[in-house]
Amino acid sequence: MSDYLVKALSFDKQVRAYAVNSTETVGEAQRRHQTWPTTSAALGRAMTAGAMMGAMLKGEEKLTVKVEGDGPIGAIIVDSDAKGHVRGYVSNPQVHFDLNEKGKLDVQRAVGTNGTVSVVKDIGLRENFSGQVPIVSGELGEDFTYYFAVSEQTPSSLGVGVLVNPDNTILAAGGFIIQLMPGTDEETISKIEESINKTPPVSKMIQDGLSPEEILYQLLGEDNVQVIEKMPVKFQCTCSKERFGRAIISLGESEIQEMITEDGKADTQCHFCNAEYHFTKEELKDILEEAKMA
Ligand SMILES: [Zn+2]
């Protein structure tokens, strides 16, 4: 089944909610980057949050989430847009630790507990919107919750989770975000808190076969959920040979000339999706001509 995300309103539009099954999307990232389980959980949680944050955008808007902690996986970078496209990578994909004392993948240890979470939104204005908060937990769910509270002044409850098979493939991945609009009454808040506390982890709900809609029914009550949009989500990169060609042009004539005479070729690779693009000597000569005209 393909991944999708739902947006919903609840409690007389006092509450906005998002839920996503991101199993295939995270699976694709795992295959492309050959991540080990702890890294898969960290990257998958960030990509799942990123997909839902992308769904809060409009039209051609897009965003980049960066988690830069002091743990061994290094930086996590995730790009997403308003159309359900998400891509991401980590500095060190092959990191794995024993499960933590709760029996879960030890994302905190992989990410680290010191550092920053930043979000840059390209919303078509000259200046991008950007927000940055310190890492408060390293488990990522709490960190994104903190980001929403501080940088966007939106009280939110966010859950993201990833389960990994013994062969390192992704068993289940998904998440939810519940956001309180200004003026949400106390009764609604305590009802939601109570319900979140008794709901199983989101990765478990996905593993049990719950759809994104059903996850929101669990969290908010079936009668309370008004789904307003359903959107496919997938791993998609924006790279192409043409883009890499333009990047080579921007290196300038002397650099390109050096590639031609010294290597006779250029091999490039996209960080986000690991796709490789190879340029032959002839192609580099054409690129050099273009650089001369630029
Ligand atoms: Zn790519």
Side-chain angles (χ1 to χ4, degrees):
M1 196 180 66
S2 302
D3 291 346
Y4 70 91
L5 178 151
V6 293
K7 299 185 205 181
L9 294 171
S10 184
F11 293 100
D12 292 328
K13 301 182 184 167
Q14 295 182 90
V15 173
R16 244 183 349 205
Y18 303 80
V20 63
N21 181 336
S22 54
T23 307
E24 284 299 314
T25 306
V26 176
E28 182 73 23
Q30 192 279 325
R31 287 189 293 277
R32 285 177 178 270
H33 297 296
Q34 290 296 304
T35 51
W36 290 357
T38 313
T39 309
S40 301
L43 177 60
R45 287 183 193 181
M47 286 180 68
T48 301
M52 291 187 286
M53 290 160 90
M56 296 170 191
L57 302 173
K58 299 185 293 287
E60 300 301 314
E61 296 173 359
K62 53 195 178 186
L63 62 80
T64 299
V65 175
K66 269 190 205 156
V67 180
E68 294 172 289
D70 59 352
I73 62 171
I76 308 173
I77 315 286
V78 173
D79 275 357
S80 66
D81 66 15
K83 295 164 185 163
H85 303 139
V86 55
R87 60 179 190 169
Y89 69 95
V90 297
S91 310
N92 302 307
Q94 276 99 38
V95 173
H96 181 60
F97 294 114
D98 291 338
L99 300 182
N100 64 20
E101 69 280 2
K102 291 178 187 158
K104 292 187 157 191
L105 289 162
D106 203 346
V107 169
Q108 183 179 61
R109 190 168 166 197
V111 170
T113 50
N114 293 295
T116 54
V117 173
S118 60
V119 177
V120 177
K121 291 184 196 171
D122 176 356
I123 52 174
L125 303 173
R126 201 144 49 97
E127 299 271 323
N128 288 337
F129 165 89
S130 72
Q132 190 180 74
V133 295
I135 287 175
V136 290
S137 128
E139 291 286 352
L140 299 181
E142 287 102 322
D143 298 294
F144 290 117
T145 301
Y146 186 69
Y147 163 80
F148 278 112
V150 172
S151 269
E152 306 210 357
Q153 282 90 47
T154 308
S156 309
S157 174
L158 182 147
V160 281
V162 175
L163 297 175
V164 178
N165 288 311
D167 66 356
N168 289 1
T169 59
I170 304 302
L171 170 62
F176 67 83
I177 301 178
I178 292 170
Q179 298 194 311
L180 306 178
M181 298 298 103
T184 306
D185 58 66
E186 287 302 323
E187 196 195 331
T188 303
I189 295 173
S190 50
K191 242 187 198 168
I192 293 171
E193 279 175 353
E194 201 179 303
S195 160
I196 289 172
N197 288 336
K198 64 178 193 215
T199 304
V202 65
S203 53
K204 176 80 170 69
M205 290 194 273
I206 297 276
Q207 186 193 6
D208 289 344
L210 267 65
S211 66
E213 291 90 334
E214 289 166 332
I215 289 170
L216 294 184
Y217 298 160
Q218 286 268 331
L219 291 162
L220 298 164
E222 184 160 359
D223 299 338
N224 278 323
V225 176
Q226 181 198 349
V227 172
I228 53 170
E229 200 184 330
K230 188 171 160 174
M231 182 170 82
V233 168
K234 66 172 180 174
F235 186 105
Q236 183 165 300
C237 198
T238 53
C239 69
S240 63
K241 187 164 182 180
E242 196 199 340
R243 280 188 180 220
F244 274 89
R246 286 203 296 271
I248 295 175
I249 290 174
S250 71
L251 295 174
E253 286 175 49
S254 60
E255 191 104 351
I256 301 167
Q257 187 60 61
E258 224 176 276
M259 287 179 182
I260 294 170
T261 47
E262 285 181 15
D263 303 323
K265 65 180 172 103
D267 302 317
T268 59
Q269 188 170 30
C270 176
H271 282 306
F272 276 101
C273 70
N274 267 352
E276 292 178 12
Y277 299 100
H278 304 287
F279 293 86
T280 63
K281 196 170 193 173
E282 268 51 53
E283 287 171 324
L284 287 175
K285 282 179 180 168
D286 291 342
I287 285 172
L288 180 62
E289 289 310 308
E290 282 189 61
K292 282 179 181 167
M293 287 187 291

